[in-house]
Amino acid sequence: MEFINEDYINYLLESEELLDENYQKDLIQKGSEAKGLNLKEAAALLNINSPEILEELHHTAKKVKEKIYGNRLVLFAPLYITNVCVNNCLYCAFRKDNKELKRRTLTIDEIEEEARFLVLTGQKRILLVAGEHPKKASMDFIGGAIDRIYNINLSGNNIRRLNVNTAPLTLEDFKLLKSFGIGTYQCFMETYHYQTYKVMHPEGPKRDYAWRLYAMDRALQAGIDDVGIGSLFGLTDYKFETLGLLNHAFDLDYKYGVGPHTISIPRLEPALNAPAALNPPYAVDDVSFKKLVAVIRLAVPYTGMILSTRERAELRRELFEVGISQISAGSRTAPGAYKESQESIDEHNLEQFQLGDHRTLDEVVKDITSLGYMPSFCTACYRSQRTGDRFMELAKSGNIGKICVPNAMATFREYLNDFASDDTKLIGNDFLQSELKKIEGVTRMKTKTMIERVNEGERDIYL
Ligand code: SAM
Ligand code: SF4
């Protein structure tokens, strides 16, 4: 169907030569150069079964991620503005036929309250999420929400990058979305497998596979430089899905010279009254999941790879080791849930799906710091016009890390000074000191100066 070449993907999945272990080892070596892999090579790596070769794959994916982005992990939180939806996706609690779900669309004031809550925990990036609805998730409403959120300023603390995950838009609406000043436009294909797609999306506008598949083309044509793709793992065979996702990434890169800014890898979680989520047709086990993350990292080294709080803390720790570069933390998937979590209201009949990691932002920050990752609240690229091909050039050549790490450190300093618990501050101070020593030459001086300026009270300093 369309540019996703199902026949070729199926041919690769059946090809015996791609089971050859020596070939797989050679490909890991090739992948270590951080120049990417093609579809056939990725298919061979997805076939790895030997524990030793798998170990080598994991190790190489970690090195490639560090070569491009350093040890930083970017943090963000989703903000759900409505759970009303005209579609009927069989895996989602927001689907229109789910009568057990309490429907709720936030007012602009409530959206501001949610965003203020996030700012006061230390977040600087929000991913705005909505069901699909012509009125409840209209462009006017989304624009109003974005404007209100960007205008929050709590003593220099604010939301500095708003990414958006909504249903696919028309070219005209994408132009409007761009004019609201968004960062990345994100939309997941859910499944690239055409027949499965048709079964999972029985009605509503989302039933149109091609409309969704070409959403990113329209977004890029409308001038949105950074687009994020993804698929929902568990709907079809994970090897097929990974290759479909890579096919999409390569296609965008080929056509526009800009691959996906991010790739997301949501895995099906239980959701209220959503049959496909409660009984996933192709549940992906943890070992395969870790493998596919590592394969994506080697195949598309320059992309930001996003891991959400769908996964449990223990598995998240393992996945950071194989190429994840952005994570959500302290998330809620019900509209209004941040503020109301303070009032212990039951979210179960409002939320989109159940989460695996319930820790607060501070707990996650402390955890990743003690594991040796630099927490980053950086939003510099988008505001320095380092988007689209300008960002890609730096990422593909492995030079983005030289900007990312100092920016991560300055924003982490902000977090430690403004929001961290005493425990996190203790670990974070030591970590910043020791990481600063590892930076070489001029960059160390620049980073040191940025950190000093933050300590003197300046905010939002970046390269
Ligand atoms: N309604 C828009 C759409 O479908 O594109 C906006 C995004 S939807 C609220 C966010 C994403 O959540 C979906 O694209 C899907 O991949 C994911 N999702 C839906 N149900 C899920 C479940 N049960 N477990 C994990 N992720 C799920
Ligand atoms: Fe609606 Fe998106 Fe959920 Fe589908 S995944 S029911 S489109 S909110």
Side-chain angles (χ1 to χ4, degrees):
M1 175 65 190
E2 310 296 334
F3 64 76
I4 299 299
N5 194 337
E6 286 204 7
D7 289 344
Y8 181 56
I9 292 178
N10 285 328
Y11 160 77
L12 291 176
L13 292 176
E14 282 158 21
S15 171
E16 301 246 328
E17 69 172 297
L18 303 187
L19 295 167
D20 185 292
E21 295 195 342
N22 288 323
Y23 181 50
Q24 293 168 347
K25 284 186 201 161
D26 288 348
L27 290 175
I28 294 176
Q29 185 57 38
K30 182 175 178 196
S32 71
E33 290 162 21
K35 300 274 181 257
L37 299 174
N38 64 29
L39 219 51
K40 179 181 169 195
E41 293 164 339
L45 293 187
L46 286 168
N47 282 338
I48 295 176
N49 283 321
S50 140
E52 293 77 39
I53 305 178
L54 204 53
E55 194 53 46
E56 196 48 38
L57 173 76
H58 295 161
H59 179 68
T60 309
K62 178 182 164 75
K63 281 205 323 216
V64 167
K65 185 267 171 182
E66 285 178 356
K67 195 167 178 177
I68 306 276
Y69 289 109
N71 66 344
R72 65 97 164 120
L73 270 181
V74 170
L75 290 140
F76 73 96
L79 198 171
Y80 280 69
I81 58 175
T82 181
N83 64 9
V84 179
C85 191
V86 292
N87 293 308
N88 224 347
C89 314
L90 296 186
Y91 44 81
C92 180
F94 293 176
R95 69 194 178 89
K96 88 172 177 15
D97 284 354
N98 184 3
K99 304 289 180 244
E100 289 174 35
L101 191 87
K102 263 195 0 211
R103 301 291 164 173
R104 181 164 182 195
T105 303
L106 300 183
T107 63
I108 298 287
D109 285 344
E110 286 170 329
I111 292 171
E112 178 176 342
E113 280 184 75
E114 289 287 275
R116 278 173 173 265
F117 175 94
L118 290 171
V119 171
L120 290 174
T121 62
Q123 298 280 8
K124 300 286 186 281
R125 290 177 172 235
I126 281 181
L127 172 68
L128 211 68
V129 188
E132 179 165 8
H133 197 278
K135 290 203 182 78
K136 305 281 185 187
S138 69
M139 290 309 288
D140 274 0
F141 178 56
I142 290 172
I146 292 174
D147 186 52
R148 189 67 83 82
I149 295 171
Y150 272 144
N151 275 304
I152 297 170
N153 191 329
L154 306 175
S155 317
N157 292 304
N158 55 347
I159 296 302
R160 301 173 186 164
R161 179 176 177 127
L162 252 169
N163 299 329
V164 172
N165 184 325
T166 64
L169 304 174
T170 60
L171 188 69
E172 286 314 306
D173 281 349
F174 273 128
K175 287 183 185 164
L176 209 53
L177 191 64
K178 179 183 160 64
S179 74
F180 300 153
I182 66 155
T184 307
Y185 169 71
Q186 207 184 67
C187 181
F188 307 149
M189 190 61 207
E190 320 296 13
T191 176
Y192 287 89
H193 190 265
Y194 184 75
Q195 286 309 328
T196 309
Y197 188 93
K198 284 293 182 190
V199 173
M200 290 296 152
H201 306 104
E203 54 186 313
K206 194 160 170 178
R207 198 166 160 66
D208 189 339
Y209 179 99
W211 181 247
R212 199 167 180 92
L213 189 63
Y214 283 97
M216 296 314 175
D217 295 67
R218 294 193 299 281
L220 288 162
Q221 285 156 14
I224 295 179
D225 281 344
D226 294 341
V227 296
I229 63 173
S231 44
L232 183 55
F233 283 90
L235 297 177
T236 197
D237 170 54
Y238 79 90
K239 293 184 185 176
F240 184 97
E241 207 64 278
T242 308
L243 295 179
L245 192 53
L246 292 175
N247 193 159
H248 196 176
F250 298 154
D251 183 76
L252 293 175
D253 202 1
Y254 175 73
K255 283 195 284 198
Y256 303 98
V258 182
H261 188 72
T262 57
I263 293 185
S264 297
I265 35 122
R267 191 162 59 152
L268 270 181
E269 295 299 329
L272 178 72
N273 201 14
L278 297 168
N279 195 7
Y282 285 85
V284 185
D285 62 79
D286 290 353
V287 174
S288 307
F289 194 51
K290 191 169 168 182
K291 176 168 67 177
L292 76 87
V293 171
V295 172
I296 294 174
R297 174 51 70 207
L298 291 199
V300 203
Y302 58 81
T303 202
M305 219 194 306
I306 303 183
L307 181 67
S308 76
T309 53
R310 288 173 179 86
E311 303 301 336
R312 306 173 327 272
E314 308 78 59
L315 183 67
R316 280 186 13 125
R317 291 189 191 105
E318 284 189 42
L319 297 171
F320 302 157
E321 290 284 293
V322 295
I324 294 299
S325 56
Q326 302 193 16
I327 61 170
S328 50
S331 310
R332 292 280 193 289
T333 68
Y338 289 115
K339 181 167 171 284
E340 286 164 7
S341 62
Q342 304 309 92
E343 298 152 14
S344 43
I345 283 183
D346 183 13
E347 290 160 34
H348 183 59
N349 57 359
L350 277 162
E351 72 189 0
Q352 194 192 8
F353 48 81
Q354 289 171 30
L355 298 175
D357 184 349
H358 298 271
R359 294 171 301 167
T360 62
L361 173 64
D362 193 66
E363 286 166 335
V364 173
V365 168
K366 185 173 141 204
D367 189 36
I368 63 175
T369 308
S370 57
L371 293 169
Y373 299 103
M374 180 60 66
S376 174
F377 296 90
C378 175
T379 55
C381 281
Y382 158 67
R383 288 176 312 134
S384 304
Q385 276 82 49
R386 276 193 303 268
T387 56
D389 50 0
R390 290 168 297 282
F391 175 87
M392 284 295 158
E393 207 177 297
L394 286 164
K396 285 180 180 171
S397 61
N399 283 315
I400 196 73
K402 293 187 189 126
I403 299 169
C404 288
V405 174
N407 284 340
M409 290 172 82
T411 55
F412 186 37
R413 186 68 262 167
E414 280 193 43
Y415 178 81
L416 291 174
N417 291 358
D418 297 338
F419 303 104
S421 63
D422 290 345
D423 275 3
T424 306
K425 218 177 260 179
L426 216 62
I427 296 179
N429 287 342
D430 286 351
F431 188 58
L432 267 182
Q433 282 301 326
S434 63
E435 288 297 294
L436 193 60
K437 288 188 192 132
K438 291 185 194 160
I439 305 179
E440 290 164 5
V442 190
T443 314
R444 188 194 304 183
M445 278 316 293
K446 278 192 196 161
T447 313
K448 202 161 163 262
T449 310
M450 285 161 75
I451 290 177
E452 280 163 9
R453 286 171 60 192
V454 172
N455 282 336
E456 282 156 17
E458 276 189 73
R459 290 291 171 270
D460 203 10
I461 299 162
Y462 52 86
L463 296 177

